[in-house]
Amino acid sequence: MFGSVFSGGVIKKAFEKGLVEIHVHDLRDFAYGKHRQVDDRPYGGGLGMVLKPEPVFRAVEKVKCKHEASIVLLSPQGRKFDFHMAQRLSKLQQVILICGRYEGLDERVVQCLATEEVSIGDYILTGGETAAMVVIDAVARLVPDVVGKANSVKYDSFYEGMLDFPQYTRPRQFKGMKVPEILFSGDHKKIEHWRRKKALEKTWLIRPDLLKKRNLSPEDKKILDEIRTEKEGKKNESD
Ligand code: ADE
């Protein structure tokens, strides 16, 4: 499952260059008994199976080798994963991701083993594996030298807590849709201002929560006022 996702692209190159290592462990290898059972019925009754604590503890004890490690339990009950969490994890020597499956996981793993519980969003996946892949991808690309200069994380929209401005490439006209004229002006200052305005507008419309979290510069505040006035003008025209 993990191999297919990381067998190409930027992350594969990072492994090859030795910038990042990833090891996948099967909990069954840490389960005892004839059937190597990793789950059992919940105490107190109820539907479904619960992941047993022993294989998870054993697995983590075996693989934990770095002092600076975070033991992350992926679960819909966790703190929401975001760019800042990815940045923090990318600076650690080791991140151990525990993927829950089944209907639940013994609470002792949550309370006494995991150092943090992380969710990638408000929905339920059938297992933590896909969530782990999201975390690995987002964290690995923040490790120095994993992505090239062109995609430098400095240019990530979330580095600044904003959404990206729109990008265009050839052809100049496609199915009657034109590329904004300003991008051909050659006036880099104007283009920069236009991009900033588009990024602010998109963030204001789609993710106003992001704008509330950051300290806007006086220039950004001015641009946002401009956007609001324009939008209100358009609304009044249509009323
Ligand atoms: N496992 C199941 N759903 C999940 C989610 N939303 N985030 C992380 N792990 C999960």
Side-chain angles (χ1 to χ4, degrees):
M1 206 173 171
F2 284 83
S4 63
V5 174
F6 298 119
S7 61
V10 169
I11 307 296
K12 184 189 174 205
K13 282 202 193 106
F15 298 151
E16 284 170 357
K17 282 194 221 156
L19 299 168
V20 176
E21 273 182 43
I22 168 169
H23 304 276
V24 183
H25 306 274
D26 186 348
L27 281 180
R28 259 182 211 288
D29 296 339
F30 300 90
Y32 290 159
K34 204 166 99 197
H35 302 292
R36 296 197 166 267
Q37 198 179 340
V38 291
D39 60 337
D40 212 332
R41 281 168 299 154
Y43 276 130
L47 295 173
M49 298 292 265
V50 175
L51 210 52
K52 288 159 72 61
E54 309 97 303
V56 187
F57 270 76
R58 246 179 245 133
V60 171
E61 279 154 16
K62 167 90 191 300
V63 304
K64 188 170 182 284
C65 59
K66 304 282 188 206
H67 191 60
E68 246 186 52
S70 180
I71 304 168
V72 175
L73 171 64
L74 292 152
S75 106
Q77 275 79 44
R79 270 186 47 221
K80 190 99 61 84
F81 183 65
D82 65 7
F83 181 74
H84 298 289
M85 201 186 279
Q87 263 188 325
R88 176 169 56 76
L89 294 178
S90 74
K91 294 186 181 124
L92 298 176
Q93 289 179 344
Q94 187 181 23
V95 179
I96 299 170
L97 300 167
I98 305 172
C99 305
R101 275 228 151 218
Y102 314 86
E103 277 68 28
L105 182 88
D106 190 285
E107 184 64 15
R108 287 163 288 191
V109 173
V110 183
Q111 295 297 330
C112 306
L113 184 66
T115 54
E116 48 195 317
E117 199 173 358
V118 172
S119 163
I120 61 157
D122 292 339
Y123 38 76
I124 314 284
L125 301 164
T126 52
E129 290 87 346
T130 39
M133 289 182 213
V134 168
V135 172
I136 293 168
D137 194 307
V139 170
R141 65 180 290 286
L142 295 177
V143 169
D145 303 325
V146 167
V147 296
K149 272 208 188 84
N151 298 313
S152 166
V153 295
K154 262 196 274 171
Y155 304 120
D156 274 359
S157 56
F158 288 108
Y159 190 79
E160 272 212 280
M162 282 216 311
L163 303 185
D164 258 342
F165 55 80
Q167 295 270 31
Y168 296 88
T169 186
R170 275 186 278 211
R172 193 163 173 158
Q173 189 162 332
F174 173 66
K175 288 186 188 267
M177 296 176 282
K178 290 184 183 152
V179 174
E181 273 308 311
I182 189 149
L183 298 175
F184 305 104
S185 67
D187 186 333
H188 296 296
K189 260 200 141 154
K190 269 198 186 150
I191 293 173
E192 213 177 287
H193 181 268
W194 179 85
R195 285 181 165 165
R196 188 82 192 161
K197 187 166 170 180
K198 286 289 171 192
L200 278 163
E201 183 179 312
K202 188 149 197 186
T203 315
W204 179 62
L205 287 171
I206 295 176
R207 295 291 307 275
D209 56 304
L210 292 177
L211 289 183
K212 279 189 200 126
K213 276 191 221 152
R214 61 193 299 267
N215 282 329
L216 291 169
S217 68
E219 293 94 281
D220 283 347
K221 278 188 190 152
K222 213 170 119 204
I223 300 176
L224 262 181
D225 283 342
E226 243 173 74
I227 295 168
R228 281 196 196 102
T229 317
E230 279 169 21
K231 292 276 168 213
E232 268 152 30
K234 276 201 189 126
K235 192 173 165 280
N236 291 342
E237 266 171 36
S238 66
D239 285 347

